[in-house]
Amino acid sequence: MKFSKNPLSRHLFIVMLAIALFTAGLPETERAAAASSNMAAGRGPHAVAVNPATNRIYVANADSDSVTVLEDTYGGGVVTVATVEVGTTPYALAVNPVTNKIYVANVDSDTVTVIDGVTNSAAEVEVGVQPFTVKVNPVTNQIYIANIGDDTLTVMDGATNQTSTVATGASPFAVAVNETANKVYVANVDDDTVTVIDGVSLTALTVAAGAGPNALAVNPLTGSVYVTNFYGNTITVIDGATNVTSTLAVGTTPNAVEVNEVTGKIYVVNDSSNNVTVIDGSNHSISTVSVGSGPNALAINADTNKIYVANYDSNDVTVIDGTNLVTSTVAVGTNPIAAAVNTALNKVYVANFNSDEITVIAEERVTDADLSTLAVSTGTLSPSFDPGINSYTVHVDHEAEDVTITAAAYDAAASISVTEHVYGNSAEIPVSLQVGANVLPITVHAADELTSRTYTVTIYRAGADAANADLSELSVSVGSLQPSFTPEVSAYSLNVGNETASLSVTAVTYHPATTMKINGSPRQSGSTLTVSLQTGFNQLMIVTTAEDGLTSRTYTLTVNRAEAPIEYRPPNSADTSTTGKTENVKPDSDAVKESPDGVTLGSGAAALTVKAATGISGKAEVTAMLHADSLTKAFSMLRGKNSGTQDSKVAQTITFELPGKETIRHVGIPAKVLAAAATENPHALIKIKTDNASYTLPIHFPTLTVFLKQLGGKLEKATVFVTIETVTGAASEQMVEQAKAAGPTLAGDIIDFTLTIEVEGSKQVFTDFGRTYVKRSIVVAGTIDPAQATAVRVDPHTGELSFVPSVFTTTNGAAEVNIFRTGNSLYTIAESKKSFVDLQSHWSQSDVELLASKLIVNGRTDTGFFPEDNVTRAEFVSLIIRALGLEEEVMPAQNAFTDVGKSDWFAGIIGIATKEQIVSGFEDGTFRPNDPITREQMAVIAANALSFADKSVALAGKFNPLLAVFEDKAAISSWAQVAAAQMLESGVMAGITEHQFAPQNMATRAQSAVVIKRLLQTAGFIN
């Protein structure tokens, strides 16, 4: 599918910028202390970026497939330099100021255009499907492109334009780079995750975020990452060192975030609540600033501590003073959609999407501490002098032993000082030169004796000999460099075994005056550095700088430390004492085979241990320990099967079928292989099959992956066990009788599915599934009517049955019931048929009776449902929690609502719903559980439930059309508009008439039941 030529229709988060939002009036602001002017751009300017080194501005014009190149000077204003043709629908762009290259993501031609900043010549590079955003790491000269159409990140080498690909989560929407740590963060909007990528090895891991992560930014002062969750109205904060997360509440539909790298404050734009959340990076305290209508982008001038917020609907920019949060407003063009700052010139450039122009905002200058003149007697200032630019360089030959700097202030009453020497408002400054860098700070003091400004001129004098920054020697204590060292070659690699935990590196420069840094730390030529090695890739960057201060070389050494060998160790005798037969089968050539679904593991892929039943209550057991090498080979084969396709989710199942009919079946999976697969095969599944049941373990299982990685060195010896036990004998008979007394009839076996982790003799049942719905199945002989049956969770103590999401299929005369739930338990199949006398001929009859037969809804009496009664907020939430198969959980006292007591029947229901961000209360700390629920409240809760089930509804350009048909659109609260549109798009809800949504109407019991039924079908939780 191609993007619309109007990029606003591509995705909800962009579409939202065009919504007519409710506003109660803008806050009082100061007069704008800025002047503005407009410059023509191409059609549909959608993104803007600045190269501060050249003062050039680059504008991506989404509707004319071009980039407008502008240049700004202090005296001459903004002029158009060139128009560069690019790919189809340029949607985003980024600048590398070090290499002076510009990268343009063309969303409809699946390319990135690389523009040379000197010549404006362009080259096209093929990337993934629908490249949506682009970011640059100027330190490593790597470019990162998020491809929303195929769930990948393209990594481009800025020197060669060669690319590699990293798998991400669903719909990668935004990218941020931590230049210091060389990490890349990708927000995946459709699976509520952030992919964290190591910039050296390109290995990736997944961190859970909130609902709809759509923007993110790195705080360079702390390394923390701030992720906006569009649907969740929250910020996820990721610790850059540990990847541990926390959550902060912000405004409604946050869609942009930036960090002031000087103050460490974080600014979050909230589109639907028309404000900006200001977060203190040191303690996460929060302030809120009102801005214009439909804010959707922001830019920060860290030098002046000012924040510029582009307000799409009110056609202006709100300027926030970062010191006191006082605001001013500057009028701009039509629908401002992006902004960029040039700190050197103290200017802001705003892209106005529907007036095809750039607004240039120039803050009023304080000229009483500016220079008007700066010149050098020998050599040339770089860049050319501009009063708004503070830093300059000059290069002179070795013959120049001294130079004279001429400086003059604007204000006749100002004074100039250099170190301790004070001049009047002008100065002739003699400088004696040494070889290398000579730094001259020139400070202008205003007449008020309070304001000052420092300009820096660095003069590089060449040495007597030609500058040489080469290494003469590079050696390592273990292994051999590939290729062998020669000074002309810059990149080297080295492979070492896992037993090598560290090595020594020695680098020697040709010239003794050449300085050297290794991974940013100064080192003496010829000194030996000992480097600790982690498993996998380890990169050393050696940067040398010649005596002239200009000539430099960068050498890289990548050391790959091998993984530790994985050896299968069968359970010890204490775990496997048996009166039966033990059979350890070595892997053979038939152990791993391709299959239509992916890969099948044969009997040779596991070592089997069978334990016969003994005594009256004894149970036969079989344990299959999967061989690590067979499983590793299976994952490798899955990667190979998908190397030629853009769909990373096809044929991704590894199936192992356990023979026999033992009561208890265990399958042991090497934990280290699982942990590795979470990065390399995130879409894969391991399916364990038995004669009457199956267990499908997803590799993308965030809580399990985190748990395994926390084992550290113990991971090598850990095993994840899947256990499938058929409940038999007296226990089974008792559960059948308890169910019959309650009404339903049980069909098929009662199965106890358990997931445990064993390490060094200890066993722990794994219960924290998070939001991961794990699929299990039970096979029942004969056919079953899914309208009168469901999978149920059995309480082993009371025999009480609870609905579990389940879908029925029939194969070869047997019913297979696929069960979806976020936890371990006892499961079976229950048949029931329920009807109510007051539903005869009622429009909701079939849906209500379906849910009643599935144990989801109950009547007010045994025979009466009372379909037209209102439903309370607590009652609707109880239906949602039951439909999702969740267990009740009372909230901690410190987080509880003031009107929800621990003894209330709904306390546990509201507790779990709040914990999982399905519901929230009111600003006064209440939940109002007994209030009738409104239709818009119901829409929000239902949308959150679908998000929890990983079935969020994407609107992609349909937001306005969906709501525009309703005459009462304006009555839908801003916080409910997205959810209402999602429910309409999914078919979960509809208007009460063709042109009335009735958001404030009270929902009836019949309406709520129908919404639940449609929600379950949309989530794939019932037939």
Side-chain angles (χ1 to χ4, degrees), residues 445-528:
H445 304 274
D448 61 8
E449 298 184 352
L450 298 174
T451 307
S452 66
R453 182 171 187 173
T454 299
Y455 297 81
T456 302
V457 180
T458 303
I459 307 159
Y460 292 98
R461 182 189 178 199
D465 301 323
N468 189 334
D470 289 350
L471 290 178
S472 62
E473 178 186 332
L474 179 63
S475 59
V476 291
S477 60
V478 178
S480 300
L481 295 179
Q482 297 294 329
S484 298
F485 175 75
T486 58
E488 295 77 19
V489 176
S490 299
Y492 298 89
S493 62
L494 174 67
N495 294 317
V496 299
N498 180 261
E499 68 278 2
T500 304
S502 64
L503 58 74
S504 298
V505 179
T506 304
V508 181
T509 61
Y510 261 115
H511 198 288
T514 298
T515 59
M516 176 173 59
K517 290 183 178 180
I518 300 181
N519 284 356
S521 298
R523 303 291 302 180
Q524 291 293 323
S525 173
S527 63
T528 298

Side-chain angles (χ1 to χ4, degrees), residues 179 218-221 258-265 300 302-303 343:
E179 297 176 9
V218 174
N219 186 341
L221 303 182
E258 295 289 346
V259 178
N260 186 327
E261 61 185 17
V262 174
T263 66
K265 290 189 175 180
I300 297 175
D303 285 358
T343 56

Side-chain angles (χ1 to χ4, degrees), residues 702-904:
T703 54
L704 178 61
T705 301
V706 169
F707 181 91
L708 293 179
K709 290 187 175 181
Q710 288 175 344
L711 293 175
K714 295 182 180 180
L715 180 64
E716 298 277 350
K717 301 178 181 179
T719 304
V720 176
F721 279 95
V722 172
T723 299
I724 302 174
E725 178 180 354
T726 304
V727 179
T728 59
S732 173
E733 294 171 3
Q734 180 180 353
M735 293 177 191
V736 170
E737 291 304 314
Q738 288 173 324
K740 187 179 299 183
T745 301
L746 299 190
D749 293 324
I750 302 170
I751 307 292
D752 188 0
F753 293 98
T754 310
L755 191 66
T756 59
I757 299 168
E758 295 190 18
V759 57
E760 294 184 345
S762 66
K763 178 187 295 186
Q764 179 174 342
V765 177
F766 187 77
T767 59
D768 182 14
F769 284 39
R771 290 188 168 199
T772 303
Y773 276 85
V774 174
K775 177 181 173 182
R776 285 142 284 199
S777 72
I778 296 176
V779 177
V780 182
T783 58
I784 297 179
D785 182 359
Q788 298 178 13
T790 182
V792 291
R793 176 168 52 89
V794 184
D795 186 314
H797 304 293
T798 66
E800 181 181 359
L801 306 181
S802 303
F803 167 82
V804 177
S806 46
V807 176
F808 291 69
T809 60
T810 301
T811 305
N812 298 326
E816 183 175 9
V817 185
N818 293 315
I819 302 167
F820 306 92
R821 191 168 171 272
T822 59
N824 301 312
S825 195
L826 295 172
Y827 299 100
T828 189
I829 313 304
E831 294 181 293
S832 174
K833 184 176 182 179
K834 184 68 176 176
S835 61
F836 301 97
V837 295
D838 57 355
L839 283 178
Q840 302 307 309
S841 301
H842 193 274
W843 64 271
S844 68
Q845 179 180 1
S846 60
D847 288 349
V848 173
E849 291 182 349
L850 172 73
L851 296 190
S853 299
K854 289 183 177 290
L855 312 182
I856 298 174
V857 302
N858 300 308
R860 291 209 185 276
T861 68
D862 286 343
T863 58
F865 185 74
F866 296 81
E868 299 306 320
D869 282 5
N870 290 336
V871 64
T872 68
R873 285 169 53 81
E875 288 172 339
F876 184 72
V877 175
S878 72
L879 292 179
I880 287 286
I881 296 306
R882 208 173 299 153
L884 293 175
L886 299 177
E887 294 186 66
E888 298 182 15
E889 183 175 326
V890 177
M891 293 177 65
Q894 64 269 26
N895 298 330
F897 297 109
T898 57
D899 54 353
V900 177
K902 286 187 176 181
S903 60
D904 291 331

Side-chain angles (χ1 to χ4, degrees), residues 2 91 129 271 322 326 425 431 433 487 594 604 631 675-676 746 787 937 941 979 984 990 1002 1005 1023:
K2 293 292 186 183
Y91 208 63
V129 179
D271 180 34
V326 171
N425 77 320
V431 183
L433 301 178
E594 288 194 8
L631 192 55
L746 299 190
Q937 291 172 354
I941 294 173
L984 292 165
M1002 306 304 175
R1005 284 170 54 81
N1023 291 80

Side-chain angles (χ1 to χ4, degrees), residues 13 65 104 147 163 165 263 278 281 377 387 393 410 506 686 745 957 1000:
F13 305 111
D65 300 338
V104 186
N147 305 303
T163 63
T165 302
T263 66
V278 184
S377 61
T393 59
Y410 263 113
T506 304
I686 297 178
T745 301
Q1000 309 303 328

Side-chain angles (χ1 to χ4, degrees), residues 178 180-181 183 185 217-226 238-241:
N178 185 330
T180 303
K183 288 185 178 181
Y185 299 86
V218 174
N219 186 341
L221 303 182
T222 64
S224 294
V225 185
Y226 295 83
I238 304 174
D239 186 295

